[in-house]
């Protein structure tokens, strides 16, 4: 590290101490690779008497730096809060577990009694969970109240490891007469799916002290939702339930409604974009009507709820004196239904709690209900087929396959469109369109992943091998369509970058990929971008690959 950089670092560190026993390096963009790099940080830690909270967010900590920071923490027995989100930017995934292990060992050696551990926005995957597994099982976490692991790419495997660690923590702490009393659990955007959610639900049921659960965007459908509902029923202190952007359907909604009837402390329910549909909404309305006296917010937006069901929800909140927000936007009420909804709430002097209905989808045809029922039957048939296929695969395998990053064998292979059919591979724009089309269906399931990768290989090998194909133009157009590069053309960027990023991660490792394109791609994937941040695991994986190319 250059001397001027060290001087600048020393100057910023002088401003890091904050009242309340907190030492903050938040957002300093420190690149701590070696012990020398971390020298000034360590001094600040060592000199801080009564350290209770350490903030390392927005920096990047390597294995060696983590080891010496951990050594400094060994004497900080009063440390209670570790705000360690987003502190491995640009690191190889293989670096993160040993760094976490070192930091955890430092805390354990100190005899610290943590109340909060935040490791959000660190794309460490299942292996990363192994990195702090021992810490979670140790007496340092017997006192833990808040565990935040948002956007970490844990997958099913990581979810199961985490659930087992929490269960063990509760068992050990109970044996000492002070059982783990976890209050806040945050694990959104982790692709936990049904198996990961079910494993965590079992742990939640054992713990029984939860007050807030945030698990949005995890690919959970009704079996996982039902397992969570059953666990929530034995956590009577729950105040906040956020399962936004999972897939309830009627079965999951009915199971959750049954649980809501037994909970008395709930203040916030966020089931937005959860496909509860009309029957599910009616069940939830019934639960609201019969209880939830402290309800402040109910979000059932973008759930394919029709007018009558939405009116039932509105009528159910009539006696909720503390209600501040009712969100039914993005459903299928129609203009008349929206007016009726407002009139119903007006009648209770509660019109002000209704959120905007600007994205209402309009009233559906009556045939829709029949279609929903048919879809439900098809879903059940598909699940039965999935279970049969999984049993066959288990019989074929001598050893259980390690589940990683949300991969499981419960989804049958899907038909992937052949991008080569009719695609002019001499035209970069058409190749971009075909690439995005096929990568958009990418899933972590082995069969789908392989099919997408094969299709990408067939398309891009043909394109890059053509003497008339402009590789630079292809990458430029691709970056524009992904929203990573501005263009004078009015092109709407694709909404979800996960599939394209994972497809790119595969493509850049192939012999046909022009390595000269790697620096340009790296430059744009490294830049701050909201769409990229929502796919941190895929972005981190691609960056890791590009650094090696």
């Amino acid at each position: 590290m250059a001397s001027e950089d060290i001087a600048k670092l020393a100057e910023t560190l002088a401003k890091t101490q904050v009242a309340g026993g907190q030492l903050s390096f938040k957002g300093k963009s420190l690149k701590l690779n070696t012990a020398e790099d971390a020298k000034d940080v360590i001094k600040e830690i060592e000199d801080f008497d009564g350290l209770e909270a350490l903030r390392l967010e927005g920096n990047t900590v390597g294995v060696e730096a983590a080891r010496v920071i951990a050594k400094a923490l060994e004497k900080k027995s009063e440390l209670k809060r570790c705000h360690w989100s987003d502190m491995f930017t640009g690191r190889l995934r293989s670096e993160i577990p040993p760094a976490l292990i070192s930091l955890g060992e430092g805390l354990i050696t100190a005899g610290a009694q943590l109340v909060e551990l935040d490791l959000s926005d660190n794309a460490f995957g299942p292996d990363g969970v192994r990195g702090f597994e021992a810490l979670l099982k140790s007496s340092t976490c017997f006192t833990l109240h808040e565990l935040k692991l948002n956007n970490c790419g844990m997958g099913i495997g990581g979810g199961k490891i985490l659930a087992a660690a929490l269960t063990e923590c509760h068992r050990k702490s109970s044996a000492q007469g002070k059982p783990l009393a976890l209050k806040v659990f945050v694990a959104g955007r982790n692709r936990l799916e049904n198996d990961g959610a079910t494993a965590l639900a079992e742990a939640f049921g054992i713990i029984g002290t939860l007050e807030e659960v945030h698990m949005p965007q995890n690919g959970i459908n009704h079996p996982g939702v039902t397992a969570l509902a059953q666990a929530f029923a034995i956590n009577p202190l729950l105040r906040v339930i956020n399962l936004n952007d999972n897939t309830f359907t009627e079965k999951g909604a009915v199971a959750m409604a049954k649980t809501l009837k037994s909970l008395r402390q709930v203040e916030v329910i966020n089931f937005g974009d959860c496909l509860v549909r009309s029957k599910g909404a009616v069940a939830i309305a019934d639960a609201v009507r019969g209880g939830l006296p402290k309800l402040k917010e109910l979000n059932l937006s973008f759930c394919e709820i029709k007018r009558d069901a939405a009116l039932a929800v509105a009528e159910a909140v009539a006696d909720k004196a503390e209600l501040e927000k009712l969100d039914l936007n993005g459903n299928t009420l129609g203009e008349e239904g929206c007016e009726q909804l407002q009139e119903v709430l007006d009648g209770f002097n509660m019109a002000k709690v209704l959120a905007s209905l600007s994205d209402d989808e309009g009233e559906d045809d009556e045939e829709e209900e029949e279609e929903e029922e048919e879809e439900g039957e098809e879903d059940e048939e598909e699940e039965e087929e999935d279970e049969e296929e999984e049993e066959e695969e288990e019989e074929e395998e001598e050893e259980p396959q390690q589940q990683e990053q949300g991969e499981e064998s419960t989804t049958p292979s899907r038909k992937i469109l052949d991008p080569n059919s009719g695609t002019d591979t001499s035209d970069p724009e058409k190749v971009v369109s075909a690439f995005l089309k096929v990568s958009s269906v990418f899933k972590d399931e082995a069969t789908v992943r392989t099919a997408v990768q094969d299709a990408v290989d067939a398309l891009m090998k043909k394109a890059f091998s053509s003497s008339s194909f402009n590789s630079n133009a292809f990458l430029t157009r691709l970056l524009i369509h992904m929203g990573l590069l501005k263009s004078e053309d009015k092109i709407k960027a694709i909404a979800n970058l996960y599939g394209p990023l994972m497809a790119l991660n595969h493509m850049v490792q192939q012999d046909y990929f022009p390595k000269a394109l790697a620096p340009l791609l790296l430059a744009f994937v490294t830049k701050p971008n909201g769409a990229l941040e929502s796919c941190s695991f895929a972005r981190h994986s691609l960056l890791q690959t590009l650094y090696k190319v």
Side-chain angles (χ1 to χ4, degrees):
M1 184 179 284
S3 57
E4 58 268 22
D5 292 333
I6 294 174
K8 185 178 180 181
L9 174 60
E11 185 180 341
T12 59
L13 292 180
K15 304 174 183 177
T16 56
Q17 295 193 18
V18 181
Q22 175 174 279
L23 177 61
S24 177
F25 301 96
K26 182 178 180 180
K28 302 293 183 184
S29 299
L30 304 176
K31 294 180 180 179
L32 308 177
N33 299 316
T34 65
E36 179 65 21
D37 294 339
K39 182 176 63 176
D40 293 292
V41 172
I42 292 165
K43 188 176 188 307
E44 289 289 329
I45 292 173
E46 290 176 340
D47 292 347
F48 198 113
D49 293 330
L51 180 63
E52 294 183 8
L54 177 61
R55 308 196 75 105
L56 292 173
E57 310 103 307
N59 300 290
T60 179
V61 181
V63 176
E64 185 182 336
R67 191 178 300 120
V68 292
I69 290 172
K71 193 71 178 173
L73 292 177
E74 288 181 0
K75 297 178 182 178
K76 300 299 175 181
S77 60
E78 296 178 0
L79 188 60
K80 294 179 174 63
R81 299 183 184 275
C82 296
H83 302 280
W84 294 350
S85 63
D86 188 24
M87 65 178 223
F88 296 112
T89 304
R91 296 288 167 188
L92 299 177
R93 261 183 60 194
S94 59
E95 292 181 85
I96 301 176
L100 289 172
I101 289 170
S102 294
L103 292 167
E105 288 174 348
L107 295 172
I108 294 169
T109 301
Q113 299 286 288
L114 294 185
V115 295
E116 181 178 0
L117 177 61
D118 186 355
L119 291 171
S120 299
D121 300 316
N122 290 310
F124 46 56
D127 294 340
V129 184
R130 291 284 188 201
F132 61 93
E133 179 184 15
L135 174 63
L136 282 181
K137 292 179 179 179
S138 74
S139 59
T140 293
C141 285
F142 287 0
T143 50
L144 197 63
H145 287 168
E146 300 181 34
L147 179 59
K148 300 174 181 178
L149 299 165
N150 201 55
N151 197 29
C152 290
M154 290 189 291
I156 294 171
K160 288 183 175 181
I161 296 167
L162 176 61
L166 289 172
T167 301
E168 181 68 2
C169 181
H170 187 271
R171 185 190 69 77
K172 286 183 174 180
S173 57
S174 296
Q176 293 191 10
K178 295 182 179 180
L180 172 67
L182 190 66
K183 296 179 180 180
V184 178
F185 180 82
V186 181
R189 292 181 177 175
N190 271 293
R191 302 193 317 283
L192 296 169
E193 302 184 28
N194 287 332
D195 287 354
T198 299
L200 285 166
E202 291 175 7
F204 295 164
I206 292 168
I207 294 168
T209 56
L210 288 167
E211 295 180 13
E212 295 186 25
V213 175
H214 302 263
M215 296 174 66
Q217 295 183 4
N218 268 300
I220 307 169
N221 53 37
H222 75 78
V225 171
T226 299
L228 288 171
Q230 292 168 348
F232 292 166
I234 38 183
N235 280 267
L237 301 178
L238 267 174
R239 294 183 296 102
V240 179
I241 304 174
N242 176 7
L243 294 177
N244 188 283
D245 200 8
N246 289 292
T247 307
F248 282 38
T249 63
E250 182 187 348
K251 287 184 179 179
V254 168
M256 194 60 70
K258 182 179 179 181
T259 286
L260 291 175
K261 288 182 178 181
S262 66
L263 298 176
R264 306 294 295 173
Q265 305 301 319
V266 174
E267 298 175 4
V268 177
I269 297 172
N270 186 345
F271 297 158
D273 204 12
C274 281
L275 201 67
V276 304
R277 291 181 172 149
S278 294
K279 291 180 180 178
V282 169
I284 292 171
D286 186 50
V288 171
R289 185 181 296 105
L292 303 176
K294 297 183 179 182
L295 188 64
K296 293 181 179 179
E297 182 176 335
L298 175 59
N299 184 346
L300 293 174
S301 60
F302 299 93
C303 281
E304 293 190 6
I305 299 170
K306 297 183 180 179
R307 178 181 59 183
D308 291 348
L311 293 175
V313 172
E315 291 166 357
V317 302
D319 63 343
K320 307 305 168 192
E322 296 185 34
L323 190 70
E324 298 171 359
K325 184 177 181 181
L326 173 62
D327 194 344
L328 289 165
N329 195 22
N331 287 300
T332 53
L333 312 185
E335 187 176 345
E336 185 178 341
C338 290
E339 291 175 358
Q340 289 177 333
L341 185 62
Q342 290 169 328
E343 288 172 5
V344 167
L345 291 168
D346 263 332
F348 307 141
N349 293 318
M350 297 178 71
K352 64 180 182 180
V353 306
L354 184 63
S356 168
L357 298 172
S358 60
D359 293 317
D360 185 72
E361 296 289 336
E363 195 165 8
D364 277 347
D365 297 332
E366 291 182 3
E367 295 175 2
E368 289 279 335
E369 286 199 14
E370 292 178 12
E371 289 177 10
E372 283 182 13
E373 288 174 8
E374 288 172 7
E375 285 173 10
E377 290 171 6
E378 287 172 7
D379 289 344
E380 288 176 12
E381 288 172 7
E382 282 180 11
E383 283 168 20
E384 288 172 7
E385 289 173 7
D386 292 350
E387 288 170 7
E388 288 171 8
E389 183 173 325
E390 186 175 9
E391 286 171 8
E392 288 172 7
E393 289 177 356
E394 286 175 357
E395 288 172 5
E396 290 171 4
E397 294 179 355
E398 293 180 2
E399 296 179 358
Q401 183 180 4
Q402 181 181 2
Q403 291 178 326
E404 183 172 334
Q405 292 304 305
E407 292 178 11
E408 59 176 343
S409 302
T410 56
T411 303
S413 59
R414 303 176 186 178
K415 183 179 179 182
I416 308 294
L417 289 173
D418 179 7
N420 290 311
S421 106
T423 301
D424 179 2
T425 51
S426 65
D427 185 337
E429 183 66 28
K430 290 180 180 177
V431 174
V432 166
S433 178
F435 176 86
L436 292 175
K437 186 174 184 180
V438 70
S439 65
S440 68
V441 299
F442 183 95
K443 294 286 183 184
D444 287 315
E445 299 155 13
T447 50
V448 180
R449 182 179 66 249
T450 301
V452 170
Q453 290 174 349
D454 288 348
V456 167
D457 287 342
L459 171 69
M460 299 313 304
K461 186 174 183 179
K462 183 178 178 182
F464 284 132
S465 63
S466 172
S467 59
S468 61
F469 184 67
N470 188 327
S471 299
N472 288 319
F474 162 76
L475 185 56
T476 300
R477 299 304 296 173
L478 180 60
L479 291 170
I480 290 171
H481 282 274
M482 292 175 69
L484 307 182
L485 179 62
K486 292 182 180 180
S487 168
E488 294 180 0
D489 302 332
K490 292 184 178 179
I491 295 176
K492 186 177 180 181
I494 58 175
N496 189 346
L497 295 184
Y498 182 74
L501 288 171
M502 295 301 283
L504 277 170
N505 187 37
H506 169 77
M507 183 179 76
V508 298
Q509 298 178 62
Q510 308 311 307
D511 291 338
Y512 61 73
F513 178 73
K515 299 300 184 280
L517 295 181
L520 178 60
L521 182 56
L522 178 62
F524 281 93
V525 177
T526 307
K527 285 184 178 180
N529 184 286
L532 286 173
E533 288 168 9
S534 67
C535 301
S536 66
F537 170 73
R539 179 192 197 182
H540 184 83
S541 298
L542 178 55
L543 284 172
Q544 181 179 345
T545 301
L546 288 169
Y547 284 130
K548 296 176 182 177
V549 172

